[in-house]
Amino acid sequence: MPLPVERYLNVRQAYAPAFAADGRQLAFLTDITGIPQVWSVPMGRDEAVSGASDIARWPDQLTFEPDPVSDVRFSPVQGDSRLLYTRDVGGNENLQIFLLDLTTGVSVCLTSGHERAMHLFGDWSRDGKALCFAANRRDPMLYDLYVQALPAALGSETDGDGLPENEEARLVWQNDTPGYLYDIRFSPDGRHVVATRTSSSFDHTLLEVDLATGTARTLLVSDGNARYYGARYTPDGNALYLITDVGSAAEGVSDDPEFLYVARVDLKSGELDRLLSPAWDCGSLALSGDGARLAYTVNVEGADRVFILDLNTWQSTPAPEFADAPGVVPDGKLVFSPDGNSLAFAFSSATRTTDIYVWDLARHAVRAVTRSSHGGLPLDSFIEPELIHYPTFDTDEEGEVREIPAWFYRAPGDSPAPVVVIVHGGPESQFRPSFNFLAQYLLQSGYAVLAPNVRGSTGYGKRYSHLDDVELRMDSVADLACAAEWLRSRSDVDESRLVVYGGSYGGFMVLAALTTYPDLWAAGVDIVGISNLATFLENTSAYRRGHREAEYGSLARDRGFLERIAPINHVERIAAPLMVIHGANDPRVPLSEAQQLVAALERREVPVSFLVFDDEGHGIVRLKNKRVAYPAIVEFLRTHVG
């Protein structure tokens, strides 16, 4: 008999590393308590490789918030004990920014009075006196740029409800175009801020704002089909390093790169140079403080490889082997130590949970500096998936049968097994080989798991990502049907017991699969999913609407199509039992998407189980709620699939 799923919920993770300015402390986020909070671990001079004892390395909890913390940054000033962190309330995603003084233990909310707005963290100024961030305070659809002065210290006179001197953020640039602002960074002299505005997943604009005049200049545009990530100023402020897939035109011939590459932009001439162009997407990027080293990742078929590029010799060095299986940098953060001699990052594989690792560059050695619990589960019980490719219904650009990449976890034992097909969200996302507690539990319960990256997924080139845009939406659902047919052809699969499972956009895919190919599925699990793309666009947060219309289609132009493919309008075709889970505070996919679906199914007496969590948003984050949701999923599968 497998251990209960509750044991798998005790697997913990550590991620989002941040060095203190003196390099002697490393903060990170971990869910040790059941809710992600800020913890820290000491980093002695030789700690990264061979230094302190386990007792000396025991982490210390720094925040004790009632809601999950989502980011943390230390002050860049030597000897400064302050750090910044962000959190929302009840999953509403209206992130607020907090300042914590570790010397006094006092914490204040810098954004108090603006709880209805989302605050996107930017950067400390080099002198530690100011913070830049983006927020949609003025208009829910628009993110403006703000700079806020910070107190040097927080003392006992502060009661936690506001700043000692009632400092207020200054609006420095008013944005007139919908879209998130992110990768927000001060220039070295503090006179400018660089930011990326995302009008959609593939329509980015790189901007630089002059803080004195409040004007912005466009550094790079996208023509609706280019992305910019991780922009970092060189120490002299004359150039930027970044990751992009923008094309170029030379002598009348234009190109449109398939994959994200590392580039350098000269801020005076505007010239962009491609530095590294592997045949896969480059991911995370970091620049050492002295500008001598660039760290980056390459996503090869879903697995990350970490590299350091020496900007003096142009030699690129991969990290030494340190993991027992391919894995990912799950939060995308690479962080250099202040002296530039170490690189911290989180890493997870399919058989090990997420922990913080530090690469000592001089010794060319990597070691873990956190050791998250695997819930007391035997490590050798975890199963590594196999990367497979299955044929789908059409041909690719070369006229060959198109193949869909997928990760297949084989069930232990010899009997034909039921299979859970896990569909990722996004759709501009990718299932990758990081630790998945539910997959591991299902495997030990006798299920196999298939996680396909259907068309529309990222990581396989720009053209592949656009194969499901608007009118092509249902082609990705057909890829799920082809996954089911591939499974049904296998002798180790019980073809009568196939389950489709997904969250967010993956929830839409679950419902679309059940309504379009009802004969293939024995059951479905929909978590915070979309039942009608039209009503979703009407009711989602204002700042998300334009972003998602570029992918799904616009209400003005494509409403008829969106209604035709809406699962809610075809519920009479759902024959399989369905479980629906949602958070009451979900700002992305409103609870109404689940409510209208469940009501329609109940009217038709289709078996449906419905769970709503009042203190959750877009997903189930709190351990206490996971302890309700996942045993309920397990019982649902046991009842209807066996």
Side-chain angles (χ1 to χ4, degrees), residues 415-467:
S415 302
V419 183
V420 176
V421 177
I422 297 179
V423 192
H424 67 68
E428 306 96 334
S429 185
Q430 183 182 25
F431 188 95
R432 308 181 69 192
S434 59
F435 189 83
N436 187 307
F437 78 89
L438 183 61
Q440 295 297 337
Y441 170 77
L442 291 170
L443 290 164
Q444 297 307 315
S445 300
Y447 288 81
V449 174
L450 181 72
N453 284 310
V454 299
R455 69 189 68 208
S457 302
T458 51
Y460 307 98
K462 196 181 296 185
R463 283 177 294 180
Y464 192 80
S465 295
H466 288 308
L467 288 176

Side-chain angles (χ1 to χ4, degrees), residues 26-323:
L26 184 73
F28 56 93
L29 302 182
T30 179
D31 58 354
I32 288 175
T33 63
I35 298 177
Q37 297 292 317
V38 181
W39 291 60
S40 72
V41 65
M43 294 289 294
R45 285 188 173 86
D46 296 323
E47 162 63 19
V49 175
S50 61
S53 69
D54 286 344
I55 294 176
R57 292 174 56 249
W58 187 260
D60 186 26
Q61 187 172 355
L62 303 183
T63 64
F64 301 83
E65 295 286 352
D67 291 279
V69 174
S70 56
D71 200 0
V72 58
R73 313 278 181 89
F74 272 108
S75 165
V77 178
Q78 286 264 0
D80 191 343
S81 63
R82 298 171 302 160
L83 59 78
L84 293 164
Y85 64 93
T86 58
R87 69 161 173 85
D88 67 0
V89 175
N92 65 9
E93 296 190 4
N94 288 332
L95 290 170
Q96 306 298 306
I97 303 175
F98 293 78
L99 179 68
L100 170 64
D101 189 327
L102 296 177
T103 300
T104 62
V106 174
S107 174
V108 297
C109 180
L110 300 175
T111 51
S112 180
H114 301 280
E115 286 78 12
R116 296 174 66 94
M118 178 185 283
H119 299 82
L120 303 178
F121 185 78
D123 195 18
W124 287 86
S125 61
R126 285 198 168 185
D127 59 8
K129 295 181 178 180
L131 158 72
C132 62
F133 63 88
N136 59 346
R137 294 178 176 182
R138 181 178 57 88
D139 184 321
M141 293 186 66
L142 301 171
Y143 282 85
D144 300 323
L145 186 66
Y146 293 82
V147 171
Q148 183 159 352
L150 299 175
L154 298 175
S156 58
E157 72 277 6
T158 303
D159 61 8
D161 294 328
L163 294 171
E165 300 176 4
N166 197 28
E167 296 281 3
E168 181 64 22
R170 177 170 60 94
L171 175 62
V172 295
W173 176 62
Q174 187 167 299
N175 180 24
D176 60 2
T177 303
Y180 298 98
L181 294 180
Y182 69 99
D183 284 338
I184 305 163
R185 296 278 173 169
F186 278 114
S187 62
D189 61 9
R191 297 170 60 185
H192 298 87
V193 167
V194 67
T196 298
R197 181 174 60 207
T198 64
S199 298
S200 72
S201 297
F202 283 86
D203 185 4
H204 297 185
T205 304
L206 188 66
L207 304 164
E208 186 179 52
V209 176
D210 186 314
L211 298 180
T213 64
T215 58
R217 67 168 176 145
T218 299
L219 301 176
L220 295 169
V221 294
S222 74
D223 283 335
N225 199 29
R227 297 165 286 177
Y228 306 108
Y229 296 115
R232 300 290 187 271
Y233 281 100
T234 55
D236 59 13
N238 293 331
L240 293 170
Y241 290 103
L242 72 156
I243 290 173
T244 181
D245 56 3
V246 68
S248 60
E251 299 179 358
V253 179
S254 62
D255 72 330
D256 185 15
E258 278 291 297
F259 296 99
L260 293 160
Y261 59 88
V262 178
R264 182 183 186 276
V265 179
D266 187 293
L267 293 177
K268 293 182 179 178
S269 68
E271 182 177 352
L272 182 144
D273 294 321
R274 298 188 193 184
L275 304 182
L276 296 162
S277 298
W280 297 97
D281 277 343
C282 292
S284 314
L285 182 144
L287 182 66
S288 62
D290 60 4
R293 289 167 166 158
L294 193 70
Y296 64 98
T297 60
V298 179
N299 172 355
V300 180
E301 287 271 25
D304 277 332
R305 299 177 184 175
V306 183
F307 295 85
I308 294 288
L309 175 65
D310 187 312
L311 295 173
N312 295 314
T313 66
W314 297 106
Q315 180 180 356
S316 188
T317 304
E321 294 294 331
F322 63 92

